[in-house]
Structure formats: structure tokens, C-alpha cells
Amino acid sequence: AVQRRMSVPDSVVAMRTAQILGEALVAQDKYTEAEVVYCEALPKMRKQLGAEHPDTLMVLTSLGNVYARQGKLDDALATYQDVRTIQQRVLGAEHVNTMTTTMNIASTLGSQYKFQEAEVMLRDLLGVQQRV
């Protein structure tokens, strides 16, 4: 796997291009390259769009997915938890994006053999879903 360092310009269009490039790399199972692209784009997205912007959160979630696929479960978990913290504050616990991120966290916990933590989280999530 070739790792190429790229420089994402500070324009919103360039950041969106990097986001799509990352998705294309993931689709080809080029996770290391996708990780590089996402990690390069994220600081610029946070600066230009803000940490709570939907595009920033989408790239952060995509980075978590890449970490999970690479077996970097601690990194995936921390990334998903960061996303969920923002989503809970901005969107609320009952928003579909927040619930999806909670499922990602529970799935990652299961992959780490932390089944009791995953179960508690999923039972709580079911409670939220029943209220919605």
C-alpha cells in the first residue's frame, strides 16, 4: 500500500473533494490511504466549517469507520465517542445520526469483547427508539 501525503487546500470545495476521495479509497479497501486523506482534511474542516458542521462530523465518522476496519478499535471508539458527544449536544439523543453513532460505539465495544457495555448501550438505545 502506497501512502501519499497530500495537501488539502483550505477551500470548502477542496475539503469536500477530499471527503469524496476518502470514500473512493474506502470503497477500494485502501484504508491506510483513506486515513491519511481524512486526517489531512479534518483540521481544515474544523477550522473552516467548525467542529459541529455536518460535513466535519461525517468525515470524523468516516475516519472512525476506517479505524474500525483496520482493527484500530480504541481509535475507532474514541472517534465515535467524540462524534456522539457533539451530536448529543447539537442534535439530541433522539436524532437518527446520534442513534447511528451510538450503534457504531456499541458495535465497536462488541468487537472489543466488551459485551456487557455494548448490551447496556443497546438497551438504552432501544428505550430511546421506543420513545421516538
Side-chain angles (χ1 to χ4, degrees), residues 4-130:
R4 282 173 260 189
R5 185 84 176 139
M6 58 176 285
S7 180
V8 177
D10 287 341
S11 76
V12 174
V13 172
M15 287 179 248
R16 180 69 180 129
T17 302
Q19 181 180 352
I20 294 168
L21 173 60
E23 293 167 6
L25 292 167
V26 167
Q28 298 173 71
D29 297 332
K30 296 180 178 180
Y31 303 122
T32 302
E33 290 181 57
E35 179 184 351
V36 170
V37 170
Y38 290 144
C39 287
E40 174 77 22
L42 268 170
K44 294 174 183 192
M45 293 181 85
R46 286 181 176 126
K47 181 179 177 186
Q48 294 290 324
L49 303 174
E52 298 176 351
H53 191 279
D55 287 346
T56 305
L57 292 176
M58 187 183 314
V59 169
L60 193 56
T61 298
S62 296
L63 179 60
N65 295 340
V66 165
Y67 286 148
R69 289 183 179 181
Q70 291 174 311
K72 298 178 180 180
L73 299 179
D74 290 337
D75 292 333
L77 186 61
T79 302
Y80 292 145
Q81 288 169 333
D82 290 346
V83 171
R84 188 177 65 164
T85 297
I86 294 169
Q87 288 172 329
Q88 285 177 323
R89 185 176 61 250
V90 175
L91 304 173
E94 296 178 351
H95 192 279
V96 66
N97 291 357
T98 307
M99 289 191 281
T100 299
T101 302
T102 301
M103 286 186 282
N104 288 343
I105 292 169
S107 176
T108 303
L109 288 169
S111 295
Q112 293 177 316
Y113 302 100
K114 297 177 182 176
F115 300 116
Q116 289 178 330
E117 289 178 59
E119 178 186 352
V120 168
M121 185 168 282
L122 290 168
R123 287 184 184 277
D124 289 345
L125 183 58
L126 279 173
V128 170
Q129 291 170 341
Q130 288 172 349

